Amino acid sequence: MLDFTKNFRFADKRPDVPIIESALDTDFYEDTMGQVLHRRCPKVPIKMAFTNRTKSVRLADHIDIGELKEQLDHVRDNVRFTNSDLHFLRGTNEYGDRMFGEDYLTHLKNFRFPDYHLEYRAGQIELEFSGDADLAYRWEMPPLAIISQLYNRSLMKNLSRFGQECVYAEGQKRLAEKIALAKKYPGMTFTDFGTRRRFSRQWHEYVVSTLSEELPRTQFRGTSNTYLAMKLGLEPMGTNAHKMPMIYSALYYDQDSLEPGYSQRKMLEHWWEQYGVGLSIFLPDTYGSDFFLRVLDPLMAMKWKGFRHDSGDPFAFGEKIIKYYESLGINSQEKLIVFSDGLDIPACIRLYEHFAGRIGVTFGIGTNLSNDLGLKNLSIVIKAVMADGHPLVKLSDNLEKAIGNPYEISRWQRLAGYGETFSEACRY
Amino acid sequence: MLDFTKNFRFADKRPDVPIIESALDTDFYEDTMGQVLHRRCPKVPIKMAFTNRTKSVRLADHIDIGELKEQLDHVRDNVRFTNSDLHFLRGTNEYGDRMFGEDYLTHLKNFRFPDYHLEYRAGQIELEFSGDADLAYRWEMPPLAIISQLYNRSLMKNLSRFGQECVYAEGQKRLAEKIALAKKYPGMTFTDFGTRRRFSRQWHEYVVSTLSEELPRTQFRGTSNTYLAMKLGLEPMGTNAHKMPMIYSALYYDQDSLEPGYSQRKMLEHWWEQYGVGLSIFLPDTYGSDFFLRVLDPLMAMKWKGFRHDSGDPFAFGEKIIKYYESLGINSQEKLIVFSDGLDIPACIRLYEHFAGRIGVTFGIGTNLSNDLGLKNLSIVIKAVMADGHPLVKLSDNLEKAIGNPYEISRWQRLAGYGETFSEACRY
């Protein structure tokens, strides 16, 4: 029987220790996206905003605003890229040789998080970050991980010491079940994507290090958290996120042409020019995957490795992608889908078995790895909401995940032909 | 009042934890020398051997052979370069862009320490390492750090708990005095060179992290320990060691020509071709500095940054180097001497004040930083003793530090014209 109170791997007993202590304690795609933003639109003003989708939880009742401020201040004032962080990034060659240029590494060396705006309103947290695109974009994972950890601390405070130990024991039991189940399907490969909504930094590290010890590297492929990858000698994993196409939509969208596909192709071109095949995974659902497939250059579809699925029915999505590849005469067996939408191990296994032999599949698992100890989970996000003065929208393949003001959402639905074709496309 | 028994930074209370856990827990020059050895003489058989110069200490009475074996076995069987270690090295650009090639990084990825030979004889440790030059050469810092730490453990075991705490308190007091003294001479810059004879791994990290917090980076320039540099975000420092010219003397020395300078120039050429100006510090004392200066190509002296001093009178050495530069019409103010022979802070200050304005100086401090807690220090070394079947010799500028069998030492004295010119040269 472990004494959790003495085990610093588990316990979150020292609120004086900052939650975010490393500039790399974030998703690797922040490092990769940052380079493209820095080179292509460094001075474009953007705004990022926090949203708690779990409206039933009044976060203001759980998290002291002074404590939240202290944690955010620490990130803004103290979190910097160290010399070793830059060594690690400069030495990253898993996705192509010398993927980070010296101009970008110098930018990171001087990187400072811009200021933030925080207030509590109607029981919820209002939190916004404005600044240059290549600075403010990075205010995503650190605040989410901070809010998630402070919220979980508030839940733990209500429990006795024994009650807290039981929470960790439940987390261990669930982790053991996941490992045992995964071992039965060695071809089902997955990656930790759990930074943003993790129970705590300590628990996240415990989970990732345990998975890397208990499962072969051919099955547990690594983590999206750059700091943990560095600390544990794992491969940093990740491609890109919705804020890239969203920011591009404001910069390259011509109000007159009514051709929103232009901005999306532009972003893909810039991405390819930067990283080539190494990071060539499409994230198609920003304005609906049907729109994306309509505007996608088929030559690009041939060259890129595959797609990431992040919303809507994953089975329907996979069938749609296979059919899309077939329509172009591309052998889908040589392509890949990275599923990453709210997965757990059983869901991964169902998808793996459904698609095995027809298209390559791998999985990114988030909250269910890093925050599955039996306590209530939050669904919190930070999204880009403005760029260069234009309001931004994300529709996704599930309108419940849509982000943006209602007028802009319906305008984008029209522009992307969302309503008309989507339901039909879903019938696969 | 600190409770040292609970402070894992100090206490060495867990003998079940291996002393060496990282392949980078060594001097950075091992990483740089390794590349030249790997590219120039990968399959040459060499032998490294341990010597305890402190004959009055019978190490066999202090260190259990089973415990020593266990620690060495751990290095041989388990210490490997991790993915992150390779990222760090690949990302090292302080001495020139992309200083480590992929061929060498692949070699390190597959690196295994070769086997060792250990026995106890006449109260001393006999420890030898045979194998290919680019493998066996690395058996230097890990065994020295292990023997040093096991010896110190044996001294600490004789003390009560309070007695042990007093040892750490003495170490802290001395460290505080060093810091206070160094602060008075901000132009006196220095680097930690203390891996090989450190009190313990934990204390070494404590000293280096404290120095990096208490002194500006412009004064405390970093550490020769690659792992600590990585962990603490410092600059890894180092150039090359005697085993390079010694191994080269066996490979490039023509028995008939009686021209031992050939091998030494060859080594310098290979080093320059590999690293250029970044790591261009001569270590001239292998066969006496006078010999070295006689055979050195003056064009090389112009291009290289300067010299490291590692034996003999440092003041005389510095004067000799300044005179040497003057004789070639080189402005010595643009050149550098790295002093590294048994220094403490007061000695550094004396040298700094003596040479200020005449030649650049900086300092590498070893045992006096990493093992100065009031306990008895050992003078232990591991040196290359054979290469390609030839016995090796190091004379140094102080014959008490000479390594090799007496016949070979006197033969090299003749070849290098050591006796004749040295005493005279020392008169400066």
Side-chain angles (χ1 to χ4, degrees):
Chain A
M1 169 67 202
L2 282 167
D3 178 355
F4 293 109
T5 60
K6 287 201 182 145
N7 195 326
F8 65 92
R9 293 184 309 179
F10 295 97
D12 178 27
K13 290 265 173 196
R14 293 186 52 196
D16 56 320
V17 173
I19 291 172
I20 302 295
E21 294 195 294
S22 164
L24 295 184
D25 188 2
T26 188
D27 277 350
F28 181 63
Y29 69 30
E30 298 287 81
D31 303 316
T32 55
M33 288 190 296
Q35 179 162 245
V36 176
L37 291 173
H38 177 63
R39 289 185 171 173
R40 300 292 185 164
C41 45
K43 294 290 169 203
V44 170
I46 65 165
K47 184 155 82 176
M48 310 279 294
F50 170 81
T51 303
N52 174 19
R53 289 173 181 157
T54 312
K55 299 291 174 211
S56 60
V57 174
R58 287 169 57 93
L59 283 175
D61 300 342
H62 288 271
I63 299 174
D64 177 74
I65 193 168
E67 212 173 339
L68 176 54
K69 196 172 169 314
E70 198 181 1
Q71 294 287 349
L72 295 169
D73 285 352
H74 180 78
V75 174
R76 184 194 58 199
D77 299 338
N78 299 304
V79 172
R80 304 286 181 258
F81 287 86
T82 70
N83 196 38
S84 298
D85 295 341
L86 299 174
H87 273 234
F88 182 81
L89 292 178
R90 187 180 293 112
T92 298
N93 72 338
E94 280 86 351
Y95 303 95
D97 195 28
R98 191 176 284 222
M99 62 189 293
F100 297 113
E102 289 304 316
D103 59 323
Y104 178 54
L105 294 170
T106 301
H107 165 70
L108 293 184
K109 191 172 181 176
N110 302 316
F111 183 90
R112 303 286 180 271
F113 283 88
D115 206 2
Y116 61 89
H117 173 78
L118 169 68
E119 61 182 294
Y120 278 18
R121 190 177 295 183
Q124 294 296 347
I125 295 170
E126 285 203 358
L127 184 53
E128 292 183 345
F129 310 91
S130 299
D132 292 349
D134 59 355
L135 302 174
Y137 88 100
R138 232 179 146 87
W139 268 126
E140 182 174 340
M141 259 48 75
L144 289 173
I146 286 169
I147 291 170
S148 186
Q149 184 155 347
L150 291 178
Y151 170 71
N152 289 312
R153 249 183 223 170
S154 80
L155 301 182
M156 292 292 269
K157 271 183 202 150
N158 295 332
L159 303 174
S160 67
R161 176 180 149 159
F162 181 69
Q164 292 178 12
E165 288 176 9
C166 289
V167 170
Y168 287 113
E170 178 68 23
Q172 284 188 299
K173 196 196 79 185
R174 292 183 184 201
L175 180 58
E177 286 166 2
K178 289 177 181 102
I179 290 167
L181 185 53
K183 278 185 173 167
K184 292 186 188 157
Y185 300 86
M188 190 283 288
T189 66
F190 67 104
T191 299
D192 158 57
F193 276 15
T195 300
R196 70 193 66 196
R197 290 171 209 141
R198 63 196 182 190
F199 178 76
S200 70
R201 181 174 65 152
Q202 294 75 10
W203 180 255
H204 189 205
E205 180 172 337
Y206 177 69
V207 168
V208 173
S209 61
T210 300
L211 288 168
S212 73
E213 287 163 18
E214 297 293 325
L215 292 173
R217 204 61 60 87
T218 47
Q219 178 165 31
F220 178 64
R221 296 183 58 214
T223 170
S224 62
N225 186 293
T226 315
Y227 172 77
L228 284 183
M230 179 169 76
K231 181 164 181 184
L232 303 173
L234 302 174
E235 202 160 312
M237 307 286 282
T239 56
N240 59 72
H242 297 103
K243 58 189 165 192
M244 283 295 289
M246 290 165 75
I247 292 171
Y248 267 69
S249 78
L251 302 185
Y252 291 95
Y253 171 55
D254 180 346
Q255 294 281 347
D256 301 324
S257 77
L258 290 176
E259 213 292 74
Y262 178 74
S263 66
Q264 303 308 292
R265 285 191 298 269
K266 206 76 195 164
M267 188 241 130
L268 300 175
E269 281 165 23
H270 288 176
W271 194 260
W272 177 267
E273 280 169 30
Q274 185 65 58
Y275 297 117
V277 74
L279 288 175
S280 61
I281 301 287
F282 301 115
L283 177 66
D285 67 334
T286 310
Y287 307 110
S289 295
D290 288 341
F291 163 74
F292 186 90
L293 294 180
R294 269 203 315 277
V295 303
L296 179 59
D297 177 350
L299 285 174
M300 223 171 225
M302 285 182 197
K303 287 192 292 185
W304 286 48
K305 284 192 216 166
F307 288 82
R308 178 153 79 94
H309 170 264
D310 203 44
S311 62
D313 182 324
F315 293 94
F317 179 86
E319 295 296 342
K320 186 189 318 204
I321 296 301
I322 290 172
K323 198 166 168 184
Y324 171 76
Y325 278 132
E326 280 173 357
S327 75
L328 297 176
I330 297 171
N331 180 2
S332 62
Q333 290 173 318
E334 294 171 8
K335 295 297 181 183
L336 178 72
I337 300 178
V338 182
F339 291 96
S340 68
D341 180 29
L343 295 170
D344 57 18
I345 299 276
C348 295
I349 290 169
R350 286 194 299 275
L351 286 161
Y352 167 70
E353 297 208 301
H354 181 86
F355 289 110
R358 298 171 62 210
I359 190 164
V361 294
T362 190
F363 303 92
I365 311 181
T367 314
N368 184 258
L369 285 184
S370 67
N371 194 358
D372 186 27
L373 305 90
L375 299 181
K376 182 175 176 65
N377 287 161
L378 294 176
S379 177
I380 53 178
V381 293
I382 288 177
K383 288 287 172 191
V385 294
M386 293 282 281
D388 207 19
H390 300 285
L392 303 182
V393 159
K394 174 192 152 194
L395 299 177
S396 92
D397 285 343
N398 167 8
L399 278 182
E400 283 175 26
K401 286 178 107 177
I403 302 269
N405 75 52
Y407 172 78
E408 287 292 322
I409 288 179
S410 65
R411 191 171 76 87
W412 267 96
Q413 279 186 273
R414 274 198 316 281
L415 286 172
Y418 191 96
E420 295 100 62
T421 66
F422 186 69
S423 55
E424 191 191 343
C426 268
R427 275 194 222 128
Y428 293 115
Chain B
M1 169 68 201
L2 282 165
D3 178 356
F4 292 109
T5 60
K6 288 202 180 143
N7 194 326
F8 65 91
R9 292 184 308 178
F10 297 95
D12 178 28
K13 291 264 175 198
R14 294 186 51 194
D16 55 321
V17 173
I19 291 173
I20 302 296
E21 293 194 295
S22 163
L24 296 184
D25 187 2
T26 188
D27 277 350
F28 181 61
Y29 69 30
E30 297 288 82
D31 303 317
T32 54
M33 288 191 294
Q35 180 162 246
V36 176
L37 292 173
H38 177 64
R39 288 184 172 172
R40 301 292 185 164
C41 46
K43 294 289 169 205
V44 170
I46 65 165
K47 184 156 83 178
M48 310 279 293
F50 170 82
T51 304
N52 173 19
R53 290 173 181 158
T54 312
K55 298 292 173 212
S56 59
V57 174
R58 288 168 56 94
L59 283 174
D61 298 342
H62 289 271
I63 299 174
D64 177 75
I65 194 167
E67 213 173 337
L68 176 54
K69 197 173 169 315
E70 199 181 359
Q71 295 286 349
L72 295 169
D73 285 352
H74 180 78
V75 174
R76 184 194 60 200
D77 298 339
N78 299 304
V79 172
R80 304 285 183 258
F81 286 85
T82 70
N83 196 38
S84 298
D85 295 340
L86 299 174
H87 273 235
F88 182 82
L89 292 178
R90 187 181 292 111
T92 298
N93 71 338
E94 280 86 350
Y95 304 94
D97 195 31
R98 190 177 282 224
M99 62 190 291
F100 297 114
E102 289 304 316
D103 58 324
Y104 178 54
L105 294 168
T106 301
H107 165 70
L108 293 184
K109 191 173 181 176
N110 301 317
F111 182 90
R112 303 286 181 269
F113 283 87
D115 206 1
Y116 62 89
H117 173 77
L118 169 67
E119 59 183 293
Y120 278 17
R121 188 177 299 183
Q124 295 296 346
I125 295 170
E126 286 203 357
L127 183 54
E128 293 183 343
F129 310 92
S130 299
D132 292 348
D134 60 353
L135 303 174
Y137 88 101
R138 229 176 149 88
W139 268 125
E140 181 174 341
M141 259 48 76
L144 289 173
I146 286 169
I147 290 170
S148 186
Q149 185 155 348
L150 291 178
Y151 170 71
N152 289 314
R153 246 182 226 172
S154 79
L155 301 183
M156 292 292 269
K157 270 183 204 152
N158 294 332
L159 302 175
S160 67
R161 176 179 148 162
F162 181 68
Q164 293 179 13
E165 287 176 10
C166 290
V167 169
Y168 288 113
E170 178 68 23
Q172 284 188 299
K173 197 195 77 183
R174 294 183 183 202
L175 180 58
E177 286 166 2
K178 289 177 180 103
I179 291 167
L181 185 54
K183 278 185 174 166
K184 292 187 188 159
Y185 301 86
M188 190 283 288
T189 65
F190 67 103
T191 299
D192 157 59
F193 276 15
T195 300
R196 68 193 68 196
R197 290 171 210 141
R198 63 195 181 193
F199 178 77
S200 69
R201 181 173 67 152
Q202 293 76 8
W203 179 256
H204 188 205
E205 179 172 339
Y206 177 70
V207 168
V208 174
S209 61
T210 300
L211 289 168
S212 73
E213 286 163 19
E214 297 294 325
L215 292 173
R217 204 62 60 87
T218 47
Q219 179 165 31
F220 179 62
R221 298 182 58 213
T223 171
S224 63
N225 186 293
T226 316
Y227 173 77
L228 285 182
M230 178 169 78
K231 181 163 181 186
L232 303 172
L234 302 173
E235 202 161 312
M237 308 286 281
T239 55
N240 58 73
H242 298 103
K243 58 190 165 190
M244 284 295 290
M246 290 164 74
I247 291 170
Y248 268 69
S249 78
L251 302 184
Y252 291 95
Y253 172 55
D254 182 346
Q255 293 281 351
D256 301 323
S257 77
L258 291 177
E259 214 289 77
Y262 179 74
S263 66
Q264 302 308 292
R265 286 192 297 270
K266 206 77 194 165
M267 188 242 132
L268 299 176
E269 282 164 24
H270 288 176
W271 193 259
W272 177 267
E273 282 169 29
Q274 184 66 58
Y275 297 117
V277 74
L279 288 175
S280 61
I281 300 287
F282 300 115
L283 178 65
D285 68 333
T286 310
Y287 307 111
S289 296
D290 289 340
F291 164 74
F292 186 89
L293 294 180
R294 269 204 314 278
V295 303
L296 178 60
D297 178 349
L299 286 174
M300 225 172 223
M302 287 183 197
K303 288 192 292 183
W304 286 49
K305 285 192 215 165
F307 288 83
R308 178 153 78 94
H309 170 264
D310 204 44
S311 61
D313 182 323
F315 294 93
F317 178 86
E319 295 297 341
K320 184 187 323 204
I321 296 301
I322 290 172
K323 199 166 168 184
Y324 171 75
Y325 278 131
E326 281 173 356
S327 75
L328 296 176
I330 297 171
N331 180 1
S332 63
Q333 291 173 317
E334 292 172 10
K335 296 296 181 182
L336 180 71
I337 301 179
V338 182
F339 291 96
S340 68
D341 180 29
L343 296 171
D344 56 19
I345 300 275
C348 295
I349 290 169
R350 286 193 299 276
L351 286 161
Y352 166 70
E353 298 208 301
H354 182 86
F355 289 109
R358 300 170 61 210
I359 190 164
V361 294
T362 190
F363 304 91
I365 311 180
T367 314
N368 184 256
L369 284 184
S370 67
N371 194 357
D372 185 28
L373 304 92
L375 298 181
K376 183 177 178 60
N377 286 161
L378 293 175
S379 177
I380 52 177
V381 292
I382 289 176
K383 287 287 171 191
V385 293
M386 294 280 282
D388 207 20
H390 300 284
L392 303 182
V393 160
K394 174 191 153 196
L395 300 178
S396 90
D397 285 342
N398 167 6
L399 279 181
E400 282 175 26
K401 285 179 106 176
I403 302 269
N405 73 53
Y407 171 77
E408 287 293 322
I409 287 179
S410 64
R411 189 170 77 88
W412 267 96
Q413 280 184 274
R414 273 198 316 280
L415 286 172
Y418 191 97
E420 295 99 63
T421 65
F422 187 69
S423 53
E424 190 191 343
C426 268
R427 275 193 223 130
Y428 293 115

